[in-house]
Amino acid sequence: MIVAENVEKRFGDALVLKHVNLRVEPGEVVTILGASGSGKSTLIRCINGLEALSGGKITVDGHDVSTKAGLVAARRASATVFQLFNLYPHMTALRNITLAPIEVLKLPKAEAEARARALLEKVGLGAHADAYPQQLSGGQRQRVGICRALAMQPRYLLLDEVTSALDPEMTGDVLRILAELAADGTTMVFVTHEIEFARHISSRIVFLEQGELIVDLPTAQFFAEDGGLAVPRIRQFLSKMKKD
Amino acid sequence: MRYADFTPYDIVLLLQGLGVTLALFIGTTLIGLAIGLLLAVVHHYRIPGCRPVIVLVTEALKNSPVLVQLFLVFFGIPAFLHIRMTPVEAATLTISLNTAAFAFVVFRSGIESIDRDQIEAAKVFGLDRSQILRFVIAPQAAAFSVGPLVGILVNQLQVTSLISVIGVFDLTKIGNILNLRTLQPFIVWAVIGLIYYLAAKTLALAGSRVEAALRKSVKWGGI
Ligand SMILES: Nc1ncnc2c1ncn2[C@@H]1O[C@H](COP(=O)(O)OP(=O)(O)OP(=O)(O)O)[C@@H](O)[C@H]1O
Ligand SMILES: [Mg+2]
């Protein structure tokens, strides 16, 4: 379980996250919605330890990310897929995927590679194992990014706008893979602007407004007239997203 | 005035001089690159208090004449610390530090040329500092650095000629000796210059081979 309690994050004087409380149980897909600058990425980066908390506490399966040992354990439990893929450009797709399993999980090379190839096969990149990132399209790179995360056999997948750098066709490819993962019961914390997709795969939706988590509802209720839509800010946000 | 013609033995003298020049160059290059690399790594990890010191010292080394540095080391340090220093020691120390300063700048920009995003990815996947350095930073920084480093080293090879001034018997010093003996400056200095030129060319050629090999093994279209 991922638990965020009273999380606070400051950048200088700016309070970017204010007393955020969030729980993600195994098997859930939780989508974080919110306007640009509301703190979605920052929250993800606090969970995976790329930003230090200014207050409050985050634990992943009980491991406190603000302690050194806790962070190591928390990072083993979760894996991140990045908006801009963040692949290692000097390594092949295969090596991008096997690096951490071999060096961190200490898997034998042959086993790590067999697993990586199976993952690449699954996302339709079986023939591209030896390609370097710049030889791949954006959508293909992101699929490698997803394989790299899955190769760690994480209990939680953290995804921050993983399709927003892709054109619509490639977005479809990536979303299909994520939908399959969700159907398989993968636990995900998902930041996206793809509202329809979020509605389709999420078990819960939370809404960040200027660093405050103002709504946390099961998906159906979030989109119900007497649920999320009853909150003016959310109605406004959703109608604006539909127009875009 | 005693002067004499060239003798076959002069070839041996020249080769000895070249040997001293190359030995000093290779020695100071190895020491200089190692120190430069160490400084770049220390700089990268923001070890408290180290950054300003490193920047100040390397800036001073890069922006003052090597000859002055050589005099400071050879005459200044022994006088100040009451120690003895041979010309070879002083030359080795000075050129090594000078090479280190230039190498530091190249390694630093090699490291800084790497996208922070990749390093963040490596971190969240649980790689520790030394693993990130080894697998993510070093291969890319190396491919980036070889070209500029070769340029610097070709220059440092020429710079070694300054050490003749404090009495190291390098190629230039041999040139001096031959010149005084034969009074044929045009021939002597043309030959000496040609030898430096050939050594530098060989170095540049070897460097571009290494660079090509590195880029091939690192093979990424990025830079
Ligand atoms: N490293 C940083 N230093 C200073 N301010 C930052 C930093 N990172 C984020 N911020 C600020 O924190 C706020 C929240 O940023 P964040 O990236 O979390 O928003 P977001 O909800 O992910 O937005 P978007 O939808 O555009 O990705 C913004 O005002 C941003 O300017
Ligand atoms: Mg963001």
Side-chain angles (χ1 to χ4, degrees):
Chain A
M1 188 165 44
I2 300 174
V3 181
E5 281 172 344
N6 281 321
V7 168
E8 216 180 80
K9 176 66 192 174
R10 285 171 196 282
F11 287 113
D13 289 340
L15 193 51
V16 170
L17 292 176
K18 301 168 197 163
H19 301 290
V20 170
N21 289 290
L22 179 69
R23 295 171 88 85
V24 181
E25 308 266 357
E28 278 190 304
V29 175
V30 175
T31 292
I32 304 174
L33 295 181
S36 182
S38 58
K40 305 180 296 293
S41 296
T42 305
L43 181 55
I44 294 278
R45 291 170 61 82
C46 286
I47 297 173
N48 63 22
L50 287 175
E51 302 288 354
L53 304 187
S54 313
K57 185 172 168 179
I58 292 179
T59 60
V60 178
D61 287 345
H63 305 292
D64 185 342
V65 300
S66 359
T67 68
K68 211 169 173 185
L71 183 59
V72 170
R75 281 180 170 167
R76 293 234 176 143
S78 69
T80 306
V81 183
F82 298 87
Q83 179 173 3
L84 297 175
F85 331 127
N86 300 12
L87 298 178
Y88 316 119
H90 59 301
M91 295 181 188
T92 62
L94 190 73
R95 182 87 177 114
N96 262 281
I97 300 169
T98 57
L99 178 66
I102 292 173
E103 300 303 331
V104 179
L105 303 181
K106 309 289 180 202
L107 281 190
K109 189 169 175 229
E111 191 184 334
E113 289 189 349
R115 242 203 236 171
R117 285 184 195 282
L119 285 167
L120 283 169
E121 203 66 56
K122 201 171 144 193
V123 301
L125 290 177
H128 294 81
D130 296 320
Y132 286 83
Q134 35 296 108
Q135 298 170 314
L136 299 172
S137 72
Q140 291 173 325
R141 287 184 211 181
Q142 192 55 294
R143 283 183 270 162
V144 173
I146 293 171
C147 291
R148 179 173 65 172
L150 293 177
M152 296 303 281
Q153 303 200 306
R155 303 192 46 163
Y156 309 97
L157 262 190
L158 309 176
L159 306 109
D160 187 2
E161 297 200 37
V162 297
T163 59
S164 56
L166 304 179
D167 63 34
E169 193 183 333
M170 295 171 176
T171 298
D173 290 343
V174 170
L175 292 183
R176 244 188 317 283
I177 291 162
L178 297 181
E180 276 171 35
L181 289 172
D184 291 346
T186 311
T187 311
M188 296 195 236
V189 181
F190 192 53
V191 174
T192 189
H193 290 295
E194 305 274 342
I195 305 285
E196 276 314 305
F197 182 72
R199 184 173 190 167
H200 176 60
I201 70 161
S202 314
S203 43
R204 255 168 60 221
I205 295 190
V206 302
F207 190 85
L208 269 178
E209 171 73 3
Q210 296 184 356
E212 269 179 287
L213 210 157
I214 56 171
V215 166
D216 179 346
L217 288 171
T219 306
Q221 258 171 280
F222 184 87
F223 289 100
E225 285 296 335
D226 57 352
L229 288 182
V231 180
R233 180 65 190 101
I234 288 178
R235 181 179 281 277
Q236 183 196 0
F237 176 80
L238 290 179
S239 65
K240 182 160 174 294
M241 294 306 287
K242 279 223 180 73
K243 259 185 264 148
D244 288 347
Chain B
M1 191 94 242
R2 290 172 294 125
Y3 59 91
D5 276 344
F6 293 110
T7 71
Y9 181 70
D10 294 344
I11 306 258
V12 178
L13 272 185
L14 282 176
L15 287 177
Q16 274 181 358
L18 180 63
V20 170
T21 292
L22 290 182
L24 209 119
F25 169 71
I26 293 169
T28 56
T29 295
L30 294 178
I31 301 171
L33 291 184
I35 296 178
L37 184 61
L38 186 73
L39 293 180
V41 171
V42 169
H43 185 272
H44 173 67
Y45 285 134
R46 302 166 186 276
I47 293 168
C50 288
R51 270 194 170 197
V53 177
I54 291 173
V55 171
L56 192 79
V57 172
T58 55
E59 280 295 304
L61 285 167
K62 283 190 309 160
N63 295 298
S64 61
V66 179
L67 193 56
V68 172
Q69 295 169 20
L70 201 57
F71 287 163
L72 178 65
V73 170
F74 186 57
F75 300 115
I77 291 183
F80 187 64
L81 297 177
H82 304 291
I83 52 170
R84 289 162 154 277
M85 201 178 299
T86 66
V88 170
E89 286 166 356
T92 308
L93 185 61
T94 309
I95 308 275
S96 295
L97 289 180
N98 197 261
T99 300
F102 284 100
F104 160 72
V105 177
V106 172
F107 287 132
R108 184 181 68 178
S109 47
I111 290 175
E112 282 169 358
S113 74
I114 296 164
D115 225 339
R116 292 234 30 99
D117 291 351
Q118 296 168 43
I119 296 173
E120 289 195 338
K123 272 190 198 163
V124 301
F125 282 102
L127 281 91
D128 62 29
R129 277 182 166 195
S130 67
Q131 288 171 326
I132 293 174
L133 191 62
R134 189 165 138 215
F135 296 112
V136 181
I137 298 176
Q140 298 184 67
F144 176 95
S145 302
V146 178
L149 276 183
V150 171
I152 286 168
L153 293 181
V154 166
N155 188 57
Q156 292 301 82
L157 178 64
Q158 329 289 332
V159 165
T160 59
S161 68
L162 293 173
I163 63 180
S164 61
V165 173
I166 58 168
V168 179
F169 282 79
D170 74 331
L171 188 56
T172 302
K173 184 79 176 174
I174 299 297
N176 250 316
I177 292 168
L178 290 179
N179 182 37
L180 287 177
R181 205 192 72 216
T182 61
L183 295 183
Q184 299 262 29
F186 186 76
I187 295 178
V188 169
W189 293 120
V191 168
I192 299 283
L194 186 68
I195 298 176
Y196 274 112
Y197 171 81
L198 291 176
K201 268 292 160 196
T202 311
L203 179 64
L205 200 73
S208 57
R209 289 252 169 101
V210 172
E211 187 180 11
L214 253 182
R215 287 199 179 222
K216 205 157 137 208
S217 72
V218 171
K219 190 182 172 192
W220 93 93
I223 286 172

